[in-house]
Amino acid sequence: MHNIRFDFVCQRHVPLYEHLCNQYLERSEFNISIGAESEPQTSKIRYFIEAFAPQAQLESLADDIASDFLLSVWLLDTHIQLIEQHSGQRKPFNIKPLHSGLPLNFCQHCQPKFGDNQHPSFGNINLQCHHCMGHEKLSRDEKSLTQTDIAAMANRLLSHKSLPLPILGITLWLTPPAAILSSTIQPSTISQNADEQLTNSSQTNASMTKTIKYQRPRILVCNPNSLNSHFIVNDSQVLALSSIEKPLLRVRPSSEHPSLLAPLYDIQFAENRLLVILTEVLRQKGINWLHVTSDIEPHTSQEALLNEPLRLASINQHWLPITTLSDGSIPLPTNVTCLHDEHHYQDDQHTFKVQSTKTDINWQVSDNGAKSSTSALTLPPVLASSCAEDSNTITNDITTSLCALNAAVLRCDPNKNHHKAQFVKHAAVLYFSQQNACQIVTLDSQSNPELFFQLPTLPTSGYEICHSLSESPQKSLLDKFKQLFPAEYNQLLDLHIQADDGALSQLMAVATLIIGAYPVETAQRVTVTELADKFIALAMSHHGNNAPRIDFPLTKGAAHRSLNWCKTLGTLMSFKLAGETNLAKIAFAFHDSFADYLSHWVEHLDQNIGVKQLVIAGSEFANPVLTERVQLRIGKNFPLVVNPLLDLDGVNIAIGGLYLKQRRR
């Protein structure tokens, strides 16, 4: 007889593991107890199952646990160890009803039956499974589908090249839809064929009058065995794609791929029963992947929002949501004093509303049509763009960056009770966002905030960018560039920057055109997002760590420092004029040099205020090369802080507002 403990160390709560622990508690033959322990410093949670039985029975139990505890993207480690006595409980966990993580859509018990074309139950979307209860998660429309219906869907997709699935809020495409292929499409130029495709989408007449903005293509993988033939993925990404959360991951296609022509893709495995069956039918017909577009209608946008897949970025060897789109909660942190009961934050797509109680912080996410309480402490709108090199013209509002800083350092230790107010001190944040101003903000020993650096937004047109360069010491370089590379120069003149394009993305977009990384023969006006994706994909393709130096010189304004972006672009022109043809090396050098400059700036801050906590936050850190280089250049001397329970840019901003030293308006 032995006492054995099975540990599952997780980054955050995994409802499936709690559910399974409750199920194993019912197996009386093993004298089982269960438990969950939290680590205040890291916010990790450790689920465990303890069992007392003969060795042969324990070996059987271990096999069952290994089979049932499916891989979660939040699982960090597992252990099996001998113990002297049990420390767990013999009552089940109290799992919140209607939790978004339960029930699962499918599991290892039912998926091989309804999802394997060789099994008699193949195509039975209503197949009951008492392990995951996935049949209970089907909508009424999904329950009515038969194997014949789903086979007809596959045939329609093959014949029409597209398949609207209103019950899932998506459309599947065999080839890239027009809205993805073209960076900008005016209604008058849409073909008759595209018109027919768009009638199946959710666009309204009002939205058709607007320019369709480039969106990163989304791919549904039908044949996971072919994944490595089409995309560059590592082992951790493959495991994440296979996890129960079925997230979207940003990857680049294989070099010189004949049909995957975009620089980066968001890829995903089938996340529900309908897609599992449909993709298996298509896999049999030789289809390895499909393009996916979301169809969100005004009256169903909230439902579609909640069904949006999880988009992840790798930070500090952890997966973090870029923006959390589902409602949720975390325990009330105890290391910092909460100052407000309610707060909301709004970006250009979503509204994040948070409320604090004596034990928890709860949040709700909605589309921007939702109304927020007027009594809530609110953040200013998205920061206005600036088109001047002089940093004096840049807004110095640091509210959003401070919210990101506050949220990242929050931890919960129920064993500690502070009798006086606790505030964040000796901290800095690198907040680089596509939504808001990219800043470095600090809090000193008295918790006083200061803006150290803000990345300037560029002029809104290529003409203005070139004019600024011609008025700077980079004029001679610009003149030579114009003479030797007229096609690239004209591309730059045609660039148009939107107000909501992030400052760092803007800089990378211009860099892409300067180094000649975008085909000059294209007739479409290219967007900042697509150009930045191209630049990031180039950097991802670079092999090695050696790269030339790109200049990122600071300018000192009246209140804070900024970047002399003309000098940065001048350096890139110098490499182009010198005949450098390794574009991947230049793109990588841009990221590496920027991270190196950041490292020097953080060291300067450390000498002035003593940086004990260095936070990284913002959607720009979904860029894997930037994150990797920042980790390498800065992380060794200043361990980078993120909150493993929150996201990079969304809910974290709303929660951070609860801790702002700011009166209600």
Side-chain angles (χ1 to χ4, degrees), residues 34-97:
I34 62 174
E37 301 171 344
S38 61
E39 300 179 9
Q41 296 302 316
T42 62
S43 295
K44 294 177 183 176
I45 183 166
R46 182 187 302 269
Y47 296 106
F48 62 85
I49 295 177
E50 299 165 326
F52 181 69
Q55 182 172 341
Q57 287 184 309
L58 289 174
E59 289 176 355
S60 175
L61 177 67
D63 291 339
D64 291 343
I65 289 177
S67 173
D68 289 340
F69 276 72
L70 300 179
L71 178 66
S72 169
V73 77
W74 311 126
L75 180 64
L76 302 176
D77 201 1
T78 60
H79 303 287
I80 302 177
Q81 58 182 330
L82 280 169
I83 57 174
E84 294 295 328
Q85 59 184 12
H86 288 201
S87 60
Q89 62 187 27
R90 301 186 188 275
K91 63 178 181 179
F93 292 125
N94 182 20
I95 303 176
K96 293 183 178 180

Side-chain angles (χ1 to χ4, degrees), residues 205-233:
N205 292 333
S207 65
M208 283 294 293
T209 63
K210 299 179 181 179
T211 299
I212 300 175
K213 189 174 181 180
Y214 172 85
Q215 294 181 348
R216 185 176 302 108
R218 175 178 163 187
I219 293 288
L220 172 63
V221 177
C222 299
N223 184 3
N225 292 330
S226 70
L227 183 65
N228 287 300
S229 301
H230 305 291
F231 298 97
I232 307 298
V233 291

Side-chain angles (χ1 to χ4, degrees), residues 328-404:
S329 66
I330 60 172
L332 183 69
T334 56
N335 64 324
V336 184
T337 301
C338 188
L339 300 176
H340 307 283
D341 299 327
E342 186 175 319
H343 180 230
H344 74 265
Y345 161 68
Q346 180 175 307
D347 61 21
D348 62 350
Q349 293 181 317
H350 310 115
T351 297
F352 308 88
K353 184 175 180 180
V354 299
Q355 292 178 312
S356 63
T357 68
K358 292 182 178 180
T359 58
D360 301 285
I361 292 178
N362 304 293
W363 67 80
Q364 297 83 40
V365 185
S366 62
D367 69 314
N368 278 345
K371 295 182 180 180
S372 300
S373 171
T374 56
S375 65
L377 180 69
T378 59
L379 290 180
V382 175
L383 298 175
S385 297
S386 169
C387 60
E389 179 179 337
D390 183 2
S391 61
N392 288 325
T393 65
I394 303 173
T395 175
N396 63 355
D397 190 285
I398 59 176
T399 304
T400 308
S401 296
L402 283 177
C403 287

Side-chain angles (χ1 to χ4, degrees), residues 12 310 321-327 352 363 365 646-647 649-651:
R12 56 175 71 186
L310 187 66
I322 299 171
T323 299
T324 298
L325 297 181
S326 58
D327 298 348
F352 308 88
W363 67 80
V365 185
L646 299 177
D647 54 11
D649 215 348
V651 170

Side-chain angles (χ1 to χ4, degrees), residues 261 487-488 491 512-513 516-524 526 530-531 534:
L261 305 180
E488 286 83 353
Q491 269 190 317
T512 306
L513 297 179
Y518 197 83
V520 295
E521 62 271 12
T522 181
Q524 294 290 343
V526 68
E530 187 175 7
L531 288 171
K534 178 66 176 179

Side-chain angles (χ1 to χ4, degrees), residues 539-610:
M540 292 169 68
S541 68
H542 177 69
H543 300 290
N545 292 318
N546 297 325
R549 183 83 164 176
I550 308 294
D551 289 333
F552 288 87
L554 289 176
T555 62
K556 184 67 172 75
H560 62 272
R561 297 157 187 81
S562 188
L563 177 70
N564 181 351
W565 56 265
C566 286
K567 178 64 175 175
T568 303
L569 299 181
T571 306
L572 294 168
M573 287 183 184
S574 298
F575 285 113
K576 180 71 172 177
L577 294 169
E580 179 60 69
T581 58
N582 190 338
L583 304 187
K585 183 169 70 173
I586 298 177
F588 177 82
F590 179 100
H591 288 80
D592 186 59
S593 297
F594 184 53
D596 193 37
Y597 274 89
L598 288 175
S599 177
H600 290 305
W601 301 341
V602 172
E603 289 176 2
H604 171 78
L605 291 174
D606 184 44
Q607 294 174 1
N608 290 338
I609 67 166

